[in-house]
Amino acid sequence: MFRQIVGQAKKHPSLIPLFLFIGGGGTGAVLYVLRLALFNPDVSWDRKNNPEPWNKLGPNEQYKFYSVNVDYSKLKKEGPDF
């Protein structure tokens, strides 16, 4: 398959940006799904030792990918401990 893509790129050089953007988009999508699977507190891979990982987050830990107006380092805890 890779040989065919290289052959098409040699025949039609205008396809090279298309291949780059499609490859970059696919790579970005895979990396984002891996980030969600490994670092999101809603996902529990170890149910025996850590059944509820979202309860162990502190109030100043940012788990969102991008936060516009919230400075997580200045937040205080507002709820009870469970």
Side-chain angles (χ1 to χ4, degrees), residues 7-67:
Q8 288 292 326
K10 286 181 181 178
K11 288 180 186 177
H12 306 286
S14 61
L15 291 177
I16 293 173
L18 176 69
F19 294 144
L20 291 176
F21 281 103
I22 295 294
T27 303
V30 167
L31 290 175
Y32 183 68
V33 168
L34 284 174
R35 180 194 176 276
L36 287 177
L38 296 176
F39 299 113
N40 196 349
D42 296 334
V43 177
S44 177
W45 291 96
D46 187 11
R47 292 185 185 184
K48 292 180 182 174
N49 296 328
N50 193 8
E52 297 177 341
W54 51 88
N55 284 338
K56 294 186 178 180
L57 283 176
N60 56 356
E61 292 183 35
Q62 179 179 355
Y63 62 92
K64 289 186 174 184
F65 184 70
Y66 180 71
S67 177

